[in-house]
Amino acid sequence: MIKIYNTLSKRKEEFVPLKEGKVSMYVCGPTVYNLIHIGNARPMIVFDTVRRYLEHKGYDVTYVSNFTDVDDKIIKKAIEEKTSAQEVSERYIEECKKDMAGMNVRPATVHPRATQEIGGMIEMISTLIDKGYAYAAEDGTVYFRTRKDTQYGKLSHKNLDDLRSGERSLLVSGEDQKEDPLDFVLWKPKKEGEPYWEAPWCQGRPGWHIECSVMAKRYLGPGIDIHAGGEDLIFPHHENEIAQSECCNGVPFARYWMHNAFLNIDNRKMSKSLGNFFTVREISEKYDLQVLRFFMLSAHYRSPLNFSADLMESARAALERLVNAVDNLTFLEGSAQDGPLTAAEEELLAQAAGFTEKFDEAMDDDFNTADAQAVLFDLVRFANTNVSGANTRGFIRAIREEILSLGDILGLILEKKEEVLDADIEALIEERQAARKAKDFARADEIRDRLQEMGIQLLDTREGVKWKRV
Ligand code: AMP
Ligand code: ZN
């Protein structure tokens, strides 16, 4: 039984999805105006691991994560660079995808972008106005009528009176047409030189919160299983998402709300605005990004994690121990004898299965990756003690595969990357040409995909097929 700590109830709850065997999951993604920093990478790695574990448990997971591609910071950057907001956001979406691939974060089932969902946002805002939950001010700004939502505050466990006492800070200049300081923006008028869309209230652009409500509904439905993001999103972003979605759709929005704690540096949140950040790209110049992934998973996702060079060094050394152990097993397997497993080996395999059980127990307990990593090391120690060249090939393979599969649930690739030789690549290209000639296009595509996985891009030129490493 999987237990998830739900921010909504402030306790661990048994995970029961809406539809048996299926999980719908929405994770708030980055605003794309720069390279992502390793603080942004924490939710990516954590929730990718949650997805992998749910899949390992047999669930069919639909995972949606957005890119916020219209926002003040993107527009500011575009103006500085004398280019368009679209050019800036597209560039950083591509860069973000490269970083994700390096960290072995799988692409989401869908990566919607705010600018491509404006129609849905206008529709949701119109419904909220029709139902009396929103209103357009004279200048065309549309606000959500926060007080009308009697449940407002249920996620952040704030009540409206607490919020009232802090309302001065909620009064933003230019927003003085609000009926109430607690109201928040759904749509705002365009400013000179900014991208805008036609809407019934004015030419303008959406407020930030509405995009996630719309995308979650479009790709997952009005009620979803898991909604996740960093803990800074609890208020106001997620609180506002709940208000918009539930007042519009009339059904509970997300059953489980998961929030990761911060990645800190010198005990302060790593953030763009404080300037105390490292980009994932910078880290990749010094380390394989698998090390970053290993480091992120070495703490429970709800505990703050402090980044330091020392901790990264220990993560590198620890990961190396796992990779070397697998490499040793690969070597032993290659030279071992085929044949039936001995009774002693059968007995050891039964013992080894206990490690997978322990691993699952740790992950079932609100995805305790720190304990799961510890089990992986226990299994490696078990392998080092119990496996030798005298064992049968099947036994060695089973132990090796168990280590690899537990690693894979954490998104860790524990096999040494093989050096791909030019000659091997050329042989595959020739085989592909032959397959194409024989009209065996399935085989030809398979080879192209395989080459792509090896980081080889094919280029059809007048002089024939050329290739390059990407
Ligand atoms: P942003 O681009 O700032 O909207 O952030 C994208 C995601 O990264 C959100 O889920 C944030 O909560 C998360 N995030 C940003 N900074 C940190 C940090 N230092 N530690 C953990 N998560 C963070
Ligand atoms: Zn969101």
Side-chain angles (χ1 to χ4, degrees), residues 155-167:
L155 180 73
S156 49
H157 307 281
K158 293 179 192 288
N159 64 44
L160 288 177
D161 295 327
D162 290 345
L163 291 171
R164 261 210 87 91
S165 62
E167 75 190 23

Side-chain angles (χ1 to χ4, degrees), residues 69-80 83-86 115 118 141 185 187-198 202-207:
D69 63 348
V70 57
D71 157 278
D72 288 343
K73 293 180 224 114
I74 299 173
I75 295 169
K76 188 166 164 257
K77 180 115 183 178
I79 293 170
E80 277 166 18
T83 179
S84 66
Q86 192 186 355
T115 56
I118 303 286
T141 308
V185 173
W187 186 266
K188 55 186 167 190
K190 70 169 181 187
K191 284 197 204 127
E192 193 55 39
E194 288 187 358
Y196 66 89
W197 289 265
E198 296 293 337
C202 63
Q203 293 176 328
R205 61 186 171 98

Side-chain angles (χ1 to χ4, degrees), residues 51-65:
R51 173 195 196 177
R52 286 168 183 269
Y53 184 66
L54 292 169
E55 286 181 351
H56 159 71
K57 286 277 141 183
Y59 290 106
D60 174 10
V61 182
T62 310
Y63 190 100
V64 177
S65 189

Side-chain angles (χ1 to χ4, degrees), residues 180-424:
D180 187 297
L182 296 179
D183 297 350
F184 61 88
V185 173
L186 298 174
W187 186 266
K188 55 186 167 190
K190 70 169 181 187
K191 284 197 204 127
E192 193 55 39
E194 288 187 358
Y196 66 89
W197 289 265
E198 296 293 337
W201 319 288
C202 63
Q203 293 176 328
R205 61 186 171 98
W208 170 38
H209 315 297
I210 193 75
E211 69 181 67
C212 293
S213 285
V214 167
M215 295 167 181
K217 182 178 182 181
R218 170 154 182 211
Y219 297 101
L220 299 169
I224 69 172
D225 292 309
I226 299 174
H227 197 313
E231 66 181 5
D232 52 338
L233 299 187
I234 298 173
F235 185 85
H237 184 54
H238 286 165
E239 197 68 72
N240 291 355
E241 279 190 41
I242 296 179
Q244 296 161 159
S245 294
E246 297 193 350
C247 293
C248 173
N249 304 328
V251 295
F253 182 27
R255 289 158 76 82
Y256 304 89
W257 286 87
M258 296 180 69
H259 293 99
N260 64 274
F262 291 144
L263 177 77
N264 293 330
I265 188 154
D266 300 328
N267 296 311
R268 289 178 81 191
K269 180 193 174 194
M270 184 177 285
S271 76
K272 289 257 165 70
S273 52
L274 290 174
N276 60 347
F277 63 88
F278 289 104
T279 61
V280 171
R281 204 55 60 82
E282 282 169 322
I283 298 298
S284 77
E285 281 155 18
K286 223 171 150 199
Y287 295 96
D288 184 328
L289 289 177
Q290 287 283 300
V291 175
L292 181 66
R293 183 166 186 126
F294 184 94
F295 162 74
M296 291 284 185
L297 298 177
S298 65
H300 188 270
Y301 74 91
R302 285 189 291 113
S303 305
L305 176 59
N306 210 45
F307 178 82
S308 74
D310 281 355
L311 288 173
M312 280 296 281
E313 273 309 312
S314 355
R316 194 188 52 70
L319 186 63
E320 201 170 274
R321 261 190 289 149
L322 294 178
V323 171
N324 286 342
V326 170
D327 198 43
N328 183 40
L329 290 172
T330 309
F331 172 77
L332 292 177
E333 190 186 324
S335 51
Q337 299 289 323
D338 280 319
L341 267 57
T342 64
E345 286 175 339
E346 296 281 8
E347 164 62 20
L348 283 169
L349 275 193
Q351 277 183 41
F355 291 99
T356 295
E357 267 168 46
K358 281 231 151 55
F359 180 97
D360 283 11
E361 264 168 43
M363 293 296 279
D364 277 349
D365 183 12
D366 194 28
F367 309 98
N368 193 333
T369 53
D371 283 3
Q373 275 187 353
V375 175
L376 194 50
F377 280 99
D378 290 343
L379 175 58
V380 162
R381 251 188 304 275
F382 175 87
N384 290 342
T385 322
N386 293 294
V387 183
S388 74
N391 286 114
T392 56
R393 196 193 303 272
F395 172 73
I396 303 172
R397 182 180 306 137
I399 299 280
R400 179 176 171 276
E401 282 176 359
E402 186 176 358
I403 299 174
L404 288 179
S405 96
L406 296 189
D408 186 54
I409 296 168
L410 298 176
L412 299 171
I413 303 166
L414 300 179
E415 269 174 303
K416 263 200 183 140
K417 285 187 189 128
E418 274 179 51
E419 203 49 65
V420 189
L421 301 174
D422 289 6
D424 295 339

